[in-house]
Amino acid sequence: MLTNPLTKNIGAEDVATDLQTYRDSDGYGGWLRALKMSPDELTQLVQKAGLRGRGGAGFNTGLKWSFVPTDRRAHPVRYLVCNADEMEPGTFKDRLLMERDPHLLLEGIAIAAHAIGAATAYIFIRGEYHLATQRLQRAIDEVTESGLIAGETTSLDQPLQIYLHCSSGNYICGEETALLNALEGKRAIPRAKPPYPQVSGLWGRPTVVNNVETLCNLPHLLLHGAEWYRKLGRGEDSGTKLFGASGKVNNPGLWELPMGTPFREVIEHHAGGLRDGLTLRGFLPGGGSTDFLGPQHLDLPMDYDTVRKAGSRLGTGTITVLDEATCPIGLVLNLSRFFARESCGWCTPCRDGLPWVVEILQRLENGEGTTNDIELLREHTARMGPGNTFCALAPGAAEPIQSALKLFEQDFIDHIQGGGCPFH
Amino acid sequence: MTNPTGKVWQRIPARQEGPAPELSTEEIRAIDEERSHYENDAAAGLEALRIVQRARGWISDDSLRAISAYLGIAEAELEGLATYYQLLFRRPPGAEVLQLCRSSSCWILGCEQLQGWLEQELQVRPGETTADGIFTLLENPCLGACDRAPVMLLGEALHTNLTEEKLREVLAEKRRRHADQSAD
């Protein structure tokens, strides 16, 4: 049985799989199977298979689709949007899928579009992903010309159109409602929810926004079935996922592994452990907006709920490794500077709180910190937490800070008592 | 002048009066293609800014007015977009835009030292252009190549596993090319 559906076409050579090669190995077979199903059946299948959103939130994909109104006459126009705005610090997984197997993504898009009755799909891609953009556009041209997805094929009996939108920058575009504003040609500022995009999204139409990797899971799920897909996972969650590791490890990279693989296996086996004899202080499990975990968490299986129960989030599943020779406060400062710069400025805790946090952390690094600063940081993270802002940027920014205060508290104290950064 | 987040404030040149400047045929063709992808012309405004910047390197007051006149979008709206999005430039950058990745992974692997070296070598701060007009230095939040950190984007080319040595070579090569061009 196939155990690496996401990367089976990706070889050592840096080339994109073309349409012919893709079709020769079952390509677009999942799409042809999806066409024989009604949108409802398709949605139920994906829901039952337990595919969860790979952008970081881990929401059940089929369930997300099911919120789209079923009344076709009342809602004739619907949109599918592929979120390819990969900009979470430490994350580099969607790039690989788009650069190397663009048709896998396009087939996934076609399947999802059929499920929600969309005749138009947009791929919202980072402006900096030049190679991925070029290869995706070539693949879109190939498949459009072939007539495979542009015939009588969608559930609306209209040809499916896939358009690329190259972003003009900003991290906040990855937030799904900010992304929709950007697609509408506005400043990318998140929208108040509800209404959720599934009901009122792009130009007020029912819209589903799915991550690149999520969509890439669909073709083989359709080909091999929900049972097969569930069994791919080693623990609670279904399927495989791209897991990665970066930082001071011997072999930084990306590997397709079953959901539920323990962190230790990625960091010690696949990434080859820490380089130069360094030891592990902690790690961000899935990007800059996830809470730090420590060496005591290495044997946790990488499943969404398990990682959440341990006090963090699986996020994007690309691990950033923190070693003993790197200052945890310096790293948190780096991340906070990023979030402060990327705040859209709508909500006060984010717009005003983040620059304050940067200032406090910089003070600690400069040796000008006081014991009061630790309390101040705690206060800020609480204010930036969930429920106080319209989107998840500030709560995400708070995660590495609040967990660093717990896991590396002694480092904060050392910075204050020692009059500066002991790592310099 | 920089604010606490390190972003460089930019002075926007004063506006010119007179008839709206024109877009080129190629620009219009590309904008029309894009506007056919969306429900309304307002959505094409952001695409138009990208298209014009691609052709001209940046978005001047004249470019704003030309797009405004062509798509019927208020200049203020377009200005709002151009100043919001990080990859849209309201001042002309140098011939080579160098975006150094500042992500957490690149930071762990020494991007700060590389940036220090670059600032010294080029005699610029982020957001500035070298005196010879060749390089503009920008900080990028994360270029999504963390397994090959530290990285930078020079124009459209990704340079990975950077060291001071590699930077030195890349800069020298670009300088040679620009010297040859101006000699021709």
Side-chain angles (χ1 to χ4, degrees), chain A residues 41-59:
Chain A
E41 286 169 344
L42 184 51
T43 301
Q44 277 168 27
L45 174 84
V46 172
Q47 192 172 338
K48 216 173 62 189
L51 168 59
R52 302 178 68 167
R54 302 294 197 238
F59 196 79

Side-chain angles (χ1 to χ4, degrees), chain A residues 79 95 122 126 186 188 246, chain B residues 37 39 84-85 105 142-144:
Chain A
Y79 292 106
R95 173 198 282 277
Y122 296 99
R126 279 196 75 172
K186 299 172 182 153
S246 66
Chain B
H37 298 175
E39 275 199 22
Y84 183 80
Y85 288 98
S105 309
C142 178
L143 287 169

Side-chain angles (χ1 to χ4, degrees), chain A residues 56-297:
Chain A
F59 196 79
N60 183 295
T61 304
L63 190 60
K64 193 178 200 180
W65 294 353
S66 74
F67 299 140
V68 173
T70 46
D71 186 347
R72 308 259 154 168
R73 234 172 299 166
H75 302 278
V77 179
R78 296 119 187 280
Y79 292 106
L80 179 81
V81 177
C82 167
N83 188 344
D85 193 45
E86 180 167 74
M87 212 192 290
E88 179 70 24
T91 301
F92 48 99
K93 63 184 184 68
D94 296 339
R95 173 198 282 277
L96 179 85
L97 294 167
M98 294 189 285
E99 286 183 354
R100 308 294 288 280
D101 203 4
H103 282 290
L104 184 68
L105 175 59
L106 300 185
E107 185 178 356
I109 287 173
I111 293 167
H114 175 58
I116 63 161
T120 307
Y122 296 99
I123 303 173
F124 188 98
I125 190 169
R126 279 196 75 172
E128 293 94 332
Y129 275 16
H130 299 288
L131 185 62
T133 302
Q134 202 186 315
R135 289 180 175 177
L136 269 171
Q137 189 58 59
R138 194 182 311 145
I140 292 171
D141 295 343
E142 269 183 328
V143 77
T144 307
E145 210 169 295
S146 76
L148 255 176
I149 58 163
E152 71 304 346
T153 44
T154 67
S155 44
L156 282 177
D157 295 332
Q158 285 172 29
L160 172 65
Q161 298 285 350
I162 303 177
Y163 299 121
L164 263 179
H165 173 99
C166 290
S167 175
S168 289
N170 302 33
Y171 172 69
I172 195 65
C173 292
E175 200 279 340
E176 64 177 13
T177 58
L179 186 155
L180 297 178
N181 275 342
L183 265 180
E184 289 183 11
K186 299 172 182 153
R187 291 166 84 116
I189 290 165
R191 298 174 179 178
K193 292 191 267 192
Y196 287 88
Q198 293 94 317
V199 178
S200 176
L202 200 53
W203 296 294
R205 318 279 195 182
T207 304
V208 165
V209 184
N210 281 145
N211 165 261
V212 169
E213 190 185 359
T214 309
L215 292 165
C216 286
N217 272 270
L218 294 171
H220 288 279
L221 198 170
L222 262 292
L223 259 184
H224 304 290
E227 190 57 25
W228 165 84
Y229 187 77
R230 267 201 306 273
K231 281 187 183 149
L232 280 178
R234 266 164 72 166
E236 293 169 11
D237 284 327
S238 311
T240 58
K241 185 176 177 347
L242 292 179
F243 290 106
S246 66
K248 287 184 186 161
V249 290
N250 281 311
N251 178 29
L254 206 53
W255 308 275
E256 181 180 4
L257 301 168
M259 288 297 297
T261 300
F263 286 109
R264 187 186 295 282
E265 223 174 284
V266 175
I267 295 173
E268 292 182 2
H269 175 62
H270 296 285
L274 275 74
R275 68 184 207 200
D276 311 327
L278 290 163
T279 53
L280 179 81
R281 278 301 303 279
F283 56 94
L284 297 162
S289 57
T290 57
D291 287 88
F292 280 100
L293 292 175
Q296 68 271 30
H297 297 114

Side-chain angles (χ1 to χ4, degrees), chain B residues 27-173:
Chain B
E27 285 167 338
I28 286 174
R29 192 180 305 130
I31 292 170
D32 284 347
E33 166 69 26
E34 288 298 336
R35 76 206 272 207
S36 73
H37 298 175
Y38 299 98
E39 275 199 22
N40 58 43
D41 283 357
L46 189 51
E47 297 280 15
L49 289 168
R50 261 187 79 81
I51 289 164
V52 167
Q53 175 163 301
R54 183 168 280 247
R56 309 176 185 194
W58 66 299
I59 295 151
S60 66
D61 287 357
D62 278 354
S63 303
L64 271 191
R65 295 166 70 211
I67 297 169
S68 168
Y70 186 67
L71 288 175
I73 302 172
E75 244 182 278
E77 287 281 340
L78 295 169
E79 178 82 288
L81 298 174
T83 51
Y84 183 80
Y85 288 98
Q86 290 162 2
L87 299 179
L88 297 176
F89 305 143
R90 279 291 273 126
R91 285 191 307 180
E96 309 280 350
V97 176
L98 191 160
Q99 300 191 59
L100 186 71
C101 181
R102 294 275 321 181
S103 81
S104 37
S105 309
C106 285
W107 181 83
I108 290 171
L109 291 161
C111 71
E112 214 148 65
Q113 288 75 3
L114 292 179
Q115 183 167 339
W117 183 86
L118 270 172
E119 289 181 12
Q120 191 64 35
E121 171 69 21
L122 300 174
Q123 287 296 302
V124 289
R125 297 273 300 141
E128 294 176 354
T129 301
T130 51
D132 57 13
I134 298 180
F135 298 103
T136 295
L137 178 64
L138 297 177
E139 293 179 339
N140 191 287
C142 178
L143 287 169
C146 319
D147 52 341
R148 292 168 280 172
V151 298
M152 71 169 177
L153 202 58
L154 186 54
E156 295 192 356
L158 189 67
H159 294 261
T160 61
N161 298 308
L162 291 177
T163 57
E164 230 175 77
E165 197 45 49
K166 267 196 188 175
L167 281 178
R168 205 188 302 271
E169 278 169 29
V170 172
L171 295 188
E173 202 261 311

